[in-house]
Amino acid sequence: MKYFEKYGKVIAMSAAALGMTAALTIESSLAYFTTYVSAGGSEVVSLGAQTTIHEEVSLMTKHITIRNTSQINDCFVRVKVFCPDGFTVEFTDVSGGDNWYEGEDGYWYYRPILPASTEDNASLTTVLDAKINVPEGFDRDDFNVVVIQECTPVVYDEDGNATADWSRVYSEYEDEQEDSGRLGEEADR
C-alpha cells in the first residue's frame, strides 16, 4: 500500500504521458493513410444535368426544343439567339401558354421544370419559335443565326420550393440540328 502511495503520482504521470504519445502517433498514422493510400476501382457519378438542343428551320423561323437527356436530374433550361447586326428576332411560345418568357439578360427561360427522361419517355420543352426578320437588301444566303442553350439542375430552398441557380450552368450539349442551321433561300423551300 505504501508502495502505491509513494509511486502513485509517478505512475499516473507516466500513464498520462504514454496516452498522449499514443494519441499523437495515431493521428500521424491516420494522416499517412489519408494522404498516401488509395482504393482501386471507379464509378461514374453524374451530378449535373444533360440536355440536347433540337432546331428545325422553315420560312426564316427556327423551331427550338430542348431535351433533358439525364435519367437522374431534373433541370431548368434557357436559350439565347445570336444574329447579325440589323436583324431582329420575334419569339413565340408555340404552346400558346406562358411556358417561355424573356429574361432581362436576353435569354428565353422555360418556366416548368424539365424532368429527367426515362427510357420510355423523352422529356422535351414546348416549341419556342424564333422568327428572323432580315433587313431590306440583305443577301438572304449569307448569314448564320446561332442558338445556344444552357441548363441548371433544380435546387430547393429551405421552404422546399424549386429554384434555378443560374450561377451553376451546364452548356455542353449535343447538337441535334437537322440542317446546317443556315437561314436562307434554301430554308424557305
Side-chain angles (χ1 to χ4, degrees):
M1 181 84 166
K2 280 190 162 201
Y3 179 79
F4 285 110
E5 289 177 13
K6 184 176 182 182
Y7 296 106
K9 287 184 180 181
V10 173
I11 293 173
M13 293 296 278
S14 298
L18 183 63
M20 290 179 72
T21 303
L24 292 173
T25 304
I26 290 172
E27 184 178 335
S28 63
S29 67
L30 288 176
Y32 171 82
F33 281 108
T34 58
T35 303
Y36 298 106
V37 176
S38 64
S42 65
E43 183 65 34
V44 175
V45 178
S46 175
L47 300 176
Q50 299 168 333
T51 55
T52 56
I53 187 170
H54 181 77
E55 303 172 38
E56 292 181 10
V57 179
S58 66
L59 302 173
M60 299 304 290
T61 302
K62 285 200 172 196
H63 311 283
I64 305 163
T65 56
I66 309 294
R67 178 175 183 238
N68 184 354
T69 58
S70 172
Q71 294 184 355
I72 300 170
N73 297 309
D74 298 343
C75 66
F76 288 102
V77 295
R78 66 183 181 179
V79 298
K80 192 169 192 174
V81 176
F82 295 93
C83 57
D85 288 336
F87 286 59
T88 59
V89 182
E90 295 175 33
F91 293 93
T92 306
D93 182 351
V94 175
S95 71
D98 62 349
N99 288 336
W100 290 96
Y101 68 95
E102 185 175 13
E104 294 177 7
D105 53 2
Y107 281 93
W108 279 80
Y109 292 84
Y110 189 65
R111 192 178 315 271
I113 294 172
L114 193 57
S117 292
T118 63
E119 290 182 23
D120 301 328
N121 188 20
S123 178
L124 292 170
T125 64
T126 58
V127 177
L128 176 65
D129 278 353
K131 181 175 179 5
I132 311 304
N133 298 312
V134 180
E136 284 292 321
F138 197 87
D139 182 8
R140 294 175 60 139
D141 290 329
D142 194 27
F143 68 93
N144 276 329
V145 174
V146 177
V147 179
I148 62 163
Q149 64 89 19
E150 296 175 336
C151 65
T152 188
V154 175
V155 293
Y156 295 91
D157 62 16
E158 58 274 354
D159 297 327
N161 300 316
T163 60
D165 179 8
W166 289 107
S167 65
R168 288 184 44 208
V169 171
Y170 298 89
S171 60
E172 292 183 22
Y173 63 90
E174 297 174 25
D175 190 358
E176 292 182 1
Q177 194 167 322
E178 289 183 0
D179 60 20
S180 67
R182 294 182 60 86
L183 294 173
E185 289 182 15
E186 65 230 26
D188 289 335
R189 295 182 195 146

